[in-house]
Amino acid sequence: MHEIKVVQFSRSPTTEDLEALRATGAIVEHVSAVTYQVVIRLPHTTEGEVRATADMIRALDQVASLEDDFGVSVSLIDVVPLVAVAELWARPPLGTGLGATVLTGAARSDGTGIVVGVLDTGLDLNYPDFLGRVRGTLDLTGNIAGVQDGHGHGSHVAGLIGQNGIADHRYVGMAPGCAFRIYKVLADNGSGQATWIARALELALADGCHVVNLSLGGPGSGPGPDFLERMVNAVVARGLIVCVASGNDGPATPYRQSPGRAARAITVGATTKRDAVASFTSRGITDDGRGKPNVYAPGQGIGAARSSTGRMGTAINPVITTASGTSMATPVIAGLVACLLSADPALRGAAAIVKALCQTRGKDLGLEGPRVDAPALANRPYPDAAAGEDRRPGNPRPPGESPCEELLMLLEEFTPEERRQLARRAAPAVRRLARAVLDA
């Protein structure tokens, strides 16, 4: 019996702290350089021994909490015109300063110069669209074939981020000029551990990724921010942009999907091709009153790369498969962010402003956030970083959004029957108001 747990210290753990941990019988697996977290393994044979050791660890000086590791799993190109990304590609990149002039030449804002970290089931390393574009790989699952994608989810996600049409010219991702770093944190059955993801996030920051995609999630380990959410918040605070799938369990309050619940994450919900929220999208209010997700993107019946060694989705042909889920919507946002960062280098590392752009620009559907619209993302002036904070129901919406949009958001909290009753009662007053406006 080997229990994996995460020890949260109240300060940076010292050598003496680690020795005290080992003295309890715990094996130290990893000491985070980003958060005050230490991943340990308890090699005991009975539950009683595990509980006794856990009690000793909780009693140690400077130990704030002890959390269990938890399982995560996947959150199962007509997207290009839906979000109008081609208009963003055509914009020449800006210089490095916010006041820089537009450069001339053939440069395109298509993700060129941006490294996207994909934390998923790996990648089909032989897929034509990805050849020469992978800057590094790491398997954290113990897979005998390394990061080679035996599931298909990771390859599909990477395709949505940035496949370039070599395998099938009809299918091009959001950022066909970007580069990738691949972190296999989900095994070929689509499942993994939160500690693997936390470790990969820390590595992605150190490896120089500009944005990472997490089309995955789990139930978390409690109502408050767990160790994985704290890691997300920590790397975002250091400039790494983290896009996370909201989950596929439908509306629920409290919203407790992890790491989608993380306060600094760009949490992504899915819409249909008719711009309605996809019924499977996990959405709601967190225990501390924040609305999630932050932004929506198409995520139903989306075609992208099919791994030659995977089996996910519904194959259209040997190189393209379709799938639905917030897993598909999230790489749309991650790819658009890569385009945005290539369009304006000043936004690289400006995670709060990028989140504010995602959360305040796009087509308002009366939901927690808008459906993304690529050209609107790059329009100046940029919003203040404060506009990227998760919305709280009852608080004013970000500047530039109308009282009508505020009312639509509030109506989301009504039941269908309550909406019908309200409509019947309000109809006469609305007609009188319309006549008064037209007569004015």
Side-chain angles (χ1 to χ4, degrees):
M1 181 178 183
H2 292 265
E3 290 265 346
I4 301 294
K5 294 184 181 291
V6 178
V7 183
Q8 179 70 52
F9 282 87
S10 57
R11 51 151 171 76
S12 181
T14 64
T15 301
E16 290 75 17
D17 293 329
L18 299 180
E19 287 304 316
L21 272 179
R22 294 186 179 100
T24 68
I27 297 172
V28 174
E29 295 281 340
H30 174 65
V31 180
S32 173
V34 176
T35 63
Y36 302 153
Q37 295 174 1
V38 178
V39 180
I40 62 170
R41 179 161 50 92
L42 304 183
H44 298 299
T45 56
T46 68
E47 291 185 7
E49 289 178 330
V50 170
R51 284 196 299 271
T53 303
D55 288 341
M56 286 192 288
I57 293 171
R58 291 189 182 95
L60 293 176
D61 189 36
Q62 302 300 329
V63 170
S65 65
L66 180 66
E67 300 175 47
D68 294 329
D69 193 7
F70 57 90
V72 295
S73 60
V74 297
S75 299
L76 287 183
I77 254 199
D78 36 10
V79 179
V80 167
L82 273 175
V83 299
V85 67
E87 294 182 36
L88 184 52
W89 293 342
R91 295 191 183 191
L94 298 176
T96 55
L98 286 175
T101 57
V102 175
L103 300 174
T104 59
R108 282 157 52 93
S109 302
D110 61 356
T112 298
I114 302 303
V115 180
V116 182
V118 182
L119 282 61
D120 215 289
T121 61
L123 185 75
D124 183 351
L125 297 172
N126 298 312
Y127 196 86
D129 293 50
F130 306 134
L131 296 179
R133 299 173 61 196
V134 178
R135 298 291 180 263
T137 66
L138 181 67
D139 169 46
L140 292 166
T141 70
N143 186 38
I144 192 171
V147 302
Q148 181 62 30
D149 186 7
H151 182 280
H153 189 271
S155 300
H156 192 269
V157 163
L160 281 165
I161 292 170
Q163 69 183 94
N164 57 19
I166 292 178
D168 187 326
H169 68 90
R170 298 170 299 174
Y171 291 87
V172 177
M174 297 295 104
C178 76
F180 297 95
R181 293 193 76 97
I182 305 300
Y183 304 87
K184 186 176 176 72
V185 297
L186 301 176
D188 287 345
N189 64 1
S191 298
Q193 294 302 124
T195 48
W196 301 346
I197 298 159
R199 175 69 175 135
L201 282 167
E202 193 171 352
L203 290 168
L205 177 67
D207 291 340
C209 292
H210 298 95
V211 55
V212 295
N213 187 95
L214 278 68
S215 288
L216 47 78
S221 57
D226 57 46
F227 69 87
L228 181 53
E229 294 164 56
R230 290 196 294 272
M231 180 61 76
V232 168
N233 290 335
V235 297
V236 173
R238 289 162 173 79
L240 181 61
I241 300 164
V242 180
C243 302
V244 185
S246 72
N248 298 329
D249 296 326
T253 294
Y255 172 81
R256 289 183 175 177
Q257 290 282 329
S258 177
R261 181 176 52 182
R264 288 176 171 163
I266 301 174
T267 306
V268 185
T271 55
T272 69
K273 293 175 183 178
R274 295 186 177 182
D275 266 347
V277 62
S279 59
F280 52 75
T281 294
S282 295
R283 46 190 287 256
I285 309 301
T286 63
D287 287 273
D288 58 351
R290 295 175 291 110
K292 289 285 190 175
N294 306 105
V295 65
Y296 287 80
Q300 189 175 62
I302 306 300
R306 179 175 184 251
S307 173
S308 61
T309 51
R311 57 197 179 277
M312 188 207 76
T314 302
I316 292 177
N317 59 42
V319 295
I320 300 294
T321 192
T322 63
S324 298
T326 55
S327 277
M328 282 67 254
T330 306
V332 172
I333 298 300
L336 287 175
V337 167
C339 293
L340 187 62
L341 300 184
S342 69
D344 190 348
L347 290 173
R348 300 175 191 182
I353 293 177
V354 171
K355 182 178 177 182
L357 285 166
C358 290
Q359 188 165 255
T360 61
R361 303 281 176 87
K363 182 176 181 179
D364 194 284
L365 303 178
L367 302 170
E368 298 84 355
R371 196 269 286 145
V372 70
D373 178 65
L377 285 178
N379 290 339
R380 296 187 179 192
Y382 298 144
D384 186 82
E389 295 179 1
D390 290 340
R391 295 172 177 172
R392 294 178 179 271
N395 288 356
R397 301 185 81 182
E401 299 190 10
S402 70
C404 290
E405 292 167 328
E406 175 75 16
L407 177 59
L408 288 172
M409 184 180 75
L410 294 175
L411 286 173
E412 286 293 313
E413 301 178 14
F414 285 54
T415 67
E417 180 57 32
E418 288 172 334
R419 292 178 196 171
R420 283 191 289 270
Q421 292 179 8
L422 180 61
R424 283 194 293 269
R425 295 178 181 177
V430 171
R431 284 194 292 268
R432 288 195 299 271
L433 176 62
R435 283 196 297 270
V437 171
L438 292 172
D439 292 341

